[in-house]
Every structure is written in structure tokens, then in C-alpha cells.
């Protein structure tokens, strides 16, 4: 169906690659990946990709260093195998938190990783819900930046929450723009949690700014849930201000550190995330709802391969 389209996956999230391949009606390319005794990654492509339009799927989530290095090695292997074009499909882009120098003597890791991916030989990058949108400008190759908001909002609409009972709660001031995107799609009103970061691991939620939550349903969206400290703190603020139900939503379920324990103990109705990252089956929460982004990424891959507009997917 697709001339020379080749989809392959590293070890970070093969299940998502399988779902995308099913959407496209193709079979993922075969490759062998293993580790030498000292931990170095060994990789070999098991089919000819000369002249092919190659899409490499590899989210760089936990463990980020191994997944990133594996992506770079895959790109290098495809480049040396004479692929016509290489697109790095990175549903979750790791090392994105340090996107600027906010104090002295610190790195800008988002720019460093962008350079590594470009220098390794990627001709294009397809990603989703970057921690900071300006990271697109760190690349010297085209970047297609997708948003999971329409998918998450589609599920929320199926819950049929009355618009006059709905309040979109931004977990901090930095998430106001994305919260407004959800507000446009779902209606309701807006409230903002006043969050102060005490250090790299801890945050403190102080006040609520905006519409009253008394007797309302609160929807708290963030781009990612890492240790869950921020979003669970925002949920507590919402409950303290009278919300009868609280839903949490995030594009990326990083879920590290105390995340599972905090979410399990949180007084929330449901946690809605995408499968941009694999979830630990033995830790799954009863109130966790996972929405697949395979159709979104698959359609983007189809459009890129066919030289069609991708902006249709995130306008």
C-alpha cells in the first residue's frame, strides 16, 4: 500500500509500534537488538532498507539514557544502510525539562539532545506534547509537533459532564495555555493552581485562582505525570475548594518515583493518560484509563510519507 514506507521500533515501546503498524496495514521491519556484557548496545537491521522512507519509533522515557542511545544507534544504522529519509518518531521527548538557563552553570539538555538526534542522521522528527513548545526550534530539521488534547477531550466528552458543572483546572501557571485549549474543546470555566517549586523533586500548592469549584467537577490536565507530586497536590487543592469529582489527565504517563503510590492514595475519580509510554502492568491503577495515540501517530506517518499536510492533525 505504501511504497518504501518502513516502520521499525527500538525496545522502548514495541507495543505502540505494533498498534501503529496495524493502523497503517503494514508489518514492522525486523531488527535485532541486544547488549554486550558491558552494557553496550548491539543492533543489526534484518532487512534491506536502501532507498526507503524509514520511521523509527522510540520514546525516550525511563530509562531515558538507554532509550536515547538506542535511538541514536538505530538512526546511524539506517543512515549507513542508505535509507532515503529517516524520521525519528519520539512520542515522549526526554531531557526536555532543561530548555533554558534559569540559573548559572547549568546545561540546556533539550538542545543537546536535539543536536545528537540531528547529527546522528535524522532528517525529520515527529513528536507529541513537548514539555516546552520552543524545543521545536532547537532542531535544524523539520519537526511535526502533535497534541494529544483532542484525543483526551474526546474521552472526556463521552463522560457527558454538564458544561455548567465543569471547571478546567490548570495545575500551574505554565499550563494555562494548554488548559485553554481544553477549555475551547470542552467548555466550562477556568481555575489555576498557584504552584511553587521548592526544589527539583518537590512542589507546593498554595492557592486557587479563578472560578469557584464548589459543587463542580474539576478536570486537571498536565503534559506529563512524573512523580505525581504536582498533579496530586492540585487535586487536593480542588477537593479542598469544594470539587465533588476530580479527573486527572496527562499526555505522558512517566510514572516514576512515588507516582503510583501517590495516585493510588489520591482522592480522584479517574486518571486519563495516553500510551505514549509503556505502563507497568503490575502497577496499574483501578481508576487509570489509557487512550491510544496509535491512530494519531499512524495518520501523521501516513501523511508525512505521502507528502500531505500534517497540520490537519493539530490545528
Amino acid at each position: 500500500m505504501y511504497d518504501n514506507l518502513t516502520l521499525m521500533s527500538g525496545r522502548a515501546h514495541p507495543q505502540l509500534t505494533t498498534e501503529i503498524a496495524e493502523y497503517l496495514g503494514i508489518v514492522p521491519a525486523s531488527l535485532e537488538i541486544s547488549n554486550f556484557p558491558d552494557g553496550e548496545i548491539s543492533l543489526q537491521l534484518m532487512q534491506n532498507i536502501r532507498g526507503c522512507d524509514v520511521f523509527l519509533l522510540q520514546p525516550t522515557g525511563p530509562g531515558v539514557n538507554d532509550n536515547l542511545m538506542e535511538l541514536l544507534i538505530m538512526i546511524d544504522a539506517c543512515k549507513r544502510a542508505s535509507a532515503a529519509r529517516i524520521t525519528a518518531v519520539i512520542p515522549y521527548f526526554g531531557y526536555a525539562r532543561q530548555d533554558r538557563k534559569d540559573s548559572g552553570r547549568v546545561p540546556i539538555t533539550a538542545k543537546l539532545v536535539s543536536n545528537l538526534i540531528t547529527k546522528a542522521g535524522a532528517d525529520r522528527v515527529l513528536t507529541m506534547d513537548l514539555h516546552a513548545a520552543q524545543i521545536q526550534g532547537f532542531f535544524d530539521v523539520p519537526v511535526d509537533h502533535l497534541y494529544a488534547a483532542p484525543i483526551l477531550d474526546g474521552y472526556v466528552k463521552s463522560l457527558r459532564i454538564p458544561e455548567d458543572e465543569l471547571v478546567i483546572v490548570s495545575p500551574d501557571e505554565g499550563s494555562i495555555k494548554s488548559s485553554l485549549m481544553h477549555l475551547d474543546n470542552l467548555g466550562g470555566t477556568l481555575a489555576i493552581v498557584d504552584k511553587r517549586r521548592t526544589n527539583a523533586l518537590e512542589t507546593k500548592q498554595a492557592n486557587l485562582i479563578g472560578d469557584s469549584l464548589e459543587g463542580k467537577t474539576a478536570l486537571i490536565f498536565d503534559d506529563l505525570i512524573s512523580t505525581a507530586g504536582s498533579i496530586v497536590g492540585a487535586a487536593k487543592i480542588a477537593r479542598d475548594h469544594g470539587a465533588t469529582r476530580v479527573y486527572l489527565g496527562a499526555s505522558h504517563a512517566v510514572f516514576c518515583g512515588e507516582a503510583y503510590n501517590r495516585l493510588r492514595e489520591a482522592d480522584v475519580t479517574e486518571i486519563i493518560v495516553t500510551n505514549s509510554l509503556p505502563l507497568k502492568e503490575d502497577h496499574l491503577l483501578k481508576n487509570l484509563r489509557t487512550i491510544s495515540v496509535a491512530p494519531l501517530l499512524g495518520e501523521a506517518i501516513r501523511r508525512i510519507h505521502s507528502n500531505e499536510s500534517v497540520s490537519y492533525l493539530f490545528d
Side-chain angles (χ1 to χ4, degrees), residues 31-52:
L31 69 163
E32 289 186 356
I33 309 176
S34 59
N35 290 85
F36 290 108
D38 62 356
E40 290 183 7
I41 297 168
S42 172
L43 184 149
Q44 183 178 11
L45 307 180
M46 303 307 292
Q47 66 185 66
N48 178 26
I49 62 166
R50 183 179 296 272
C52 290

Side-chain angles (χ1 to χ4, degrees), residues 87-232:
T87 301
V89 183
I90 313 172
Y92 171 74
F93 185 85
Y95 279 113
R97 290 182 181 89
Q98 295 185 87
D99 61 326
R100 63 194 184 281
K101 288 193 69 173
D102 53 2
S103 61
R105 300 174 297 282
V106 297
I108 303 179
T109 55
K111 174 59 176 172
L112 171 63
V113 171
S114 302
N115 287 344
L116 289 171
I117 292 169
T118 303
K119 293 297 182 182
D123 300 297
R124 192 179 197 96
V125 171
L126 173 62
T127 189
M128 188 181 81
D129 284 298
L130 289 167
H131 189 61
Q134 65 264 24
I135 293 173
Q136 296 173 76
F138 293 173
F139 287 92
D140 294 324
V141 296
V143 176
D144 293 298
H145 183 210
L146 306 179
Y147 296 96
I151 296 175
L152 296 173
D153 292 343
Y155 173 74
V156 172
K157 287 178 181 178
S158 72
L159 300 176
R160 299 188 181 280
I161 302 169
E163 191 170 321
D164 59 351
E165 294 180 11
L166 184 64
V167 180
I168 307 298
V169 180
S170 176
D172 53 45
E173 293 86 345
S175 300
I176 293 175
K177 186 174 180 180
S178 60
S179 294
L180 289 172
M181 185 185 302
H182 292 290
L183 189 69
D184 288 340
N185 291 337
L186 298 172
T189 55
L190 179 70
I192 304 160
V193 174
D194 179 18
K195 184 184 83 170
R196 312 291 172 88
R197 180 166 291 280
T198 55
N199 55 52
L201 301 177
E202 296 180 0
T203 58
K204 180 180 179 181
Q205 288 74 24
N207 304 299
L208 188 73
I209 306 166
D211 196 68
S212 170
L213 291 178
E214 192 66 41
K216 301 291 184 70
T217 297
L219 268 63
I220 306 174
F221 290 102
D222 209 345
D223 63 321
L224 62 89
I225 299 176
S226 181
T227 62
S230 295
I231 202 162
V232 167

